[in-house]
Amino acid sequence: MKKIEKNFINAIYQNFDGIQQSLKESLNRVRTASGNGYRNLFNSNAWGRQYHKLSIEELFFMNLNNDAILAILNVSIYHAIVQNDYRHLLNGVFTYSRLRSLQRAYIPGPGDWIVVESLINNDIALREIEYPKSLDFNTNVFYDTTLLLSGNLLRTILINPDLKTLTLEQYSKFIGEVSSKFDKAFLHYLFGLITEDYTLCQTNFAEMEQLYSRCQWLSSGWYRDANLNKSVPIFLLGLYQLKNTVNIAVEIELENEFLNNTNRFILDNPNYTPQIFNYFDGELGFLNETLTNNFVPFYQDYKIKLDEIKIVTQGKR
């Protein structure tokens, strides 16, 4: 607990009010930029002439900073531990991961790690947005090998078991190129789920728990601004829930106390529906509806506009 307290004190934000104030400042910057030619907005040099097609809210999501989004996850971890109430964690993941999805909507390709996070809450709407059933097998060997293999393994498990043959062939071809011990355990775990190898799943999940803090692209990369995640491996909680989507009964003993407590809450409260971690007020009030009831239609309309802008801007090169 002392380590958790120390890390939390060193975080940029220690409460929701500070996070909300940062988000309001971001919204005001976007509003100001929209009145002066969209200068200083993300990708404004390439897309600026097309930004009139996007609403202020859509531009707001594109220009969100990682630190404010991840602070929601960080604060929710802290409240779950201090209050011994894991609803805070589930609500925090729900809010954070949907914000992250909207923030990264302009980036081509699916959000594999967002999909894993969606498994924590069984956020089917978020998962189907990131992993539509029409998603094809990825053969782009220019990808990072771990991203390439894990993406296709996840797609096979979650949306299209017919990809199994191609996925296993690709796995056999490229797994030897993976040098990181954590990445190997991660990929072996996914491979074990597809091949129904109970022992492989169990052994490699334990490896991931042991090696998590050394995985830079997770603990110091994707989750860098949620510093409590270095000792509370949220990503692994999603991978743990992934085993529930396959046909084999995989029993894995969780060593991490926080993961074990959160999983116990999930098992004891199967009908719990995650909510926004904290309701937004004032000019940010639109987030309450956008992140809940209006999430899917908002995302779909936003994505259509982004794709149209890409087509126009690429055609002018």
Side-chain angles (χ1 to χ4, degrees):
M1 189 61 199
K2 288 182 178 180
K3 183 178 179 181
I4 294 291
E5 291 280 2
K6 181 179 178 180
N7 286 339
F8 189 67
I9 290 172
N10 292 328
I12 299 174
Y13 305 96
Q14 273 95 50
N15 55 60
F16 184 75
D17 288 342
I19 298 169
Q20 184 163 240
Q21 182 57 39
S22 176
L23 294 177
K24 287 179 179 179
E25 290 170 1
S26 294
L27 180 60
N28 289 330
R29 282 196 296 272
V30 169
R31 283 178 175 156
T32 299
S34 68
N36 62 11
Y38 301 101
R39 287 178 294 182
N40 299 320
L41 291 186
F42 179 81
N43 217 19
S44 58
N45 290 338
W47 292 12
R49 292 186 179 181
Q50 302 297 320
Y51 275 163
H52 63 279
K53 298 176 181 178
L54 298 176
S55 67
I56 295 296
E57 291 80 8
E58 289 164 339
L59 285 169
F60 165 76
F61 287 120
M62 184 184 292
N63 285 272
L64 280 177
N65 293 325
N66 284 335
D67 60 357
I69 301 176
L70 280 155
I72 293 173
L73 180 61
N74 212 46
V75 172
S76 72
I77 293 171
Y78 183 75
H79 280 269
I81 294 172
V82 171
Q83 299 180 33
N84 194 32
D85 185 346
Y86 293 88
R87 289 175 297 180
H88 293 302
L89 185 276
L90 298 185
N91 293 344
V93 170
F94 174 85
T95 308
Y96 149 79
S97 57
R98 288 193 171 203
L99 276 172
R100 182 82 123 166
S101 180
L102 289 167
Q103 177 208 27
R104 297 174 62 83
Y106 70 91
I107 298 176
D112 296 317
W113 315 137
I114 295 173
V115 167
V116 173
E117 291 163 357
S118 76
L119 295 166
I120 297 171
N121 286 319
N122 194 27
D123 191 341
I124 295 173
L126 176 59
R127 184 159 72 249
E128 290 182 346
I129 277 175
E130 294 290 344
Y131 266 16
K133 287 184 171 58
S134 59
L135 196 60
D136 294 326
F137 182 78
N138 186 4
T139 58
N140 186 353
V141 294
F142 295 107
Y143 262 48
D144 172 272
T145 303
T146 299
L147 293 176
L148 175 67
L149 295 180
S150 61
N152 282 326
L153 287 163
L154 286 167
R155 293 177 200 189
T156 304
I157 294 169
L158 290 170
I159 60 173
N160 192 351
D162 291 339
L163 295 176
K164 180 176 179 178
T165 300
L166 287 173
T167 299
L168 296 184
E169 287 176 354
Q170 186 185 68
Y171 177 90
S172 297
K173 184 176 181 180
F174 292 114
I175 188 62
E177 297 181 8
V178 179
S179 58
S180 162
K181 290 182 179 180
F182 177 89
D183 289 356
K184 282 185 177 179
F186 171 41
L187 294 171
H188 290 336
Y189 173 72
L190 297 180
F191 179 81
L193 289 177
I194 287 181
T195 57
E196 302 183 2
D197 189 326
Y198 170 89
T199 303
L200 198 63
C201 294
Q202 187 179 49
T203 302
N204 284 283
F205 195 92
E207 277 284 294
M208 285 192 290
E209 281 197 276
Q210 292 295 320
L211 298 170
Y212 181 84
S213 62
R214 293 162 56 185
C215 176
Q216 294 186 353
W217 60 266
L218 273 178
S219 62
S220 302
W222 181 259
Y223 293 115
R224 182 179 58 196
D225 296 302
N227 63 351
L228 294 188
N229 182 68
K230 293 178 181 178
S231 53
V232 181
I234 298 304
F235 184 79
L236 295 190
L237 185 58
L239 289 180
Y240 184 80
Q241 303 304 326
L242 181 63
K243 69 182 179 58
N244 298 327
T245 67
V246 297
N247 293 325
I248 55 171
V250 183
E251 294 296 330
I252 296 175
E253 186 174 344
L254 292 167
E255 295 295 331
N256 183 279
E257 182 181 3
F258 184 88
L259 296 188
N260 198 25
N261 290 341
T262 307
N263 184 61
R264 175 51 53 192
F265 177 86
I266 291 172
L267 291 174
D268 291 344
N269 299 274
N271 297 319
Y272 181 72
T273 302
Q275 306 166 16
I276 289 183
F277 176 67
N278 214 311
Y279 281 93
F280 299 89
D281 61 28
E283 56 197 329
L284 292 178
F286 71 92
L287 288 172
N288 299 324
E289 187 69 14
T290 303
L291 294 175
T292 55
N293 299 329
N294 199 37
F295 179 68
V296 173
F298 182 93
Y299 183 96
Q300 291 173 336
D301 290 345
Y302 180 32
K303 192 69 172 175
I304 288 171
K305 292 179 184 179
L306 290 175
D307 290 342
E308 290 175 349
I309 289 174
K310 290 178 185 178
I311 291 171
V312 172
T313 54
Q314 289 171 357
K316 291 182 178 180
R317 291 179 181 176

